């Protein structure tokens, strides 16, 4: 799954869990985690999840780089749709 990514490359995957039964959802999550051991999953109340995996050892992202994401309106909007409305919410995850 991650063979084409360079070390430090990021893969994302949208997972509409409401369309899957429990075993199917577990299989997708397991396969993604097997390909990307450094995986983060964001879930929302509408059961649409976002999985993000980093190839290789993850690098610590400093607080300032995370805060810069909010300077781009499209990124700010996308993050708000998955429930991350301010940088401090992300900073608690990293």
């Amino acid at each position: 799954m991650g063979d084409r990514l360079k070390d430090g490359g990021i893969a994302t995957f949208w997972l509409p869990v409401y369309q899957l039964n429990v075993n199917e959802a577990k299989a997708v999550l397991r396969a993604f985690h097997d390909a990307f051991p450094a995986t983060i999953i964001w879930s929302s109340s509408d059961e649409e999840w976002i999985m993000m995996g980093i190839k290789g050892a993850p690098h610590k992202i400093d607080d300032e780089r995370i805060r810069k994401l909010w300077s781009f309106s499209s990124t700010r909007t996308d993050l708000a749709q998955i429930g991350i409305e301010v940088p401090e919410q992300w900073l608690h995850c990293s």
Side-chain angles (χ1 to χ4, degrees):
M1 187 182 298
D3 295 342
R4 296 185 181 185
L5 286 176
K6 296 179 183 178
D7 275 349
I10 297 173
T12 58
F13 186 80
W14 170 63
L15 182 62
V17 292
Y18 61 86
Q19 294 181 356
L20 306 171
N21 67 44
V22 172
N23 289 331
E24 292 168 333
K26 285 181 179 181
V28 172
L29 291 165
R30 189 176 303 113
F32 194 84
H33 186 264
D34 287 348
F36 301 100
T39 295
I40 297 171
I41 300 169
W42 288 281
S43 63
S44 65
S45 60
D46 59 2
E47 297 184 350
E48 293 191 13
W49 295 3
I50 303 291
M51 298 184 298
M52 183 180 83
I54 301 171
K55 182 173 181 176
H59 302 283
K60 176 76 173 134
I61 299 174
D62 63 66
D63 294 356
E64 188 57 35
R65 287 185 67 186
I66 291 174
R67 290 180 195 289
K68 283 184 181 181
L69 293 173
W70 272 260
S71 64
F72 303 102
S73 64
S74 61
T75 303
R76 188 173 52 246
T77 300
D78 288 345
L79 290 169
Q81 288 179 335
I82 60 168
I84 303 174
E85 298 174 348
V86 293
E88 290 75 16
Q89 287 175 289
W90 187 318
L91 295 172
H92 291 286
C93 298
S94 58

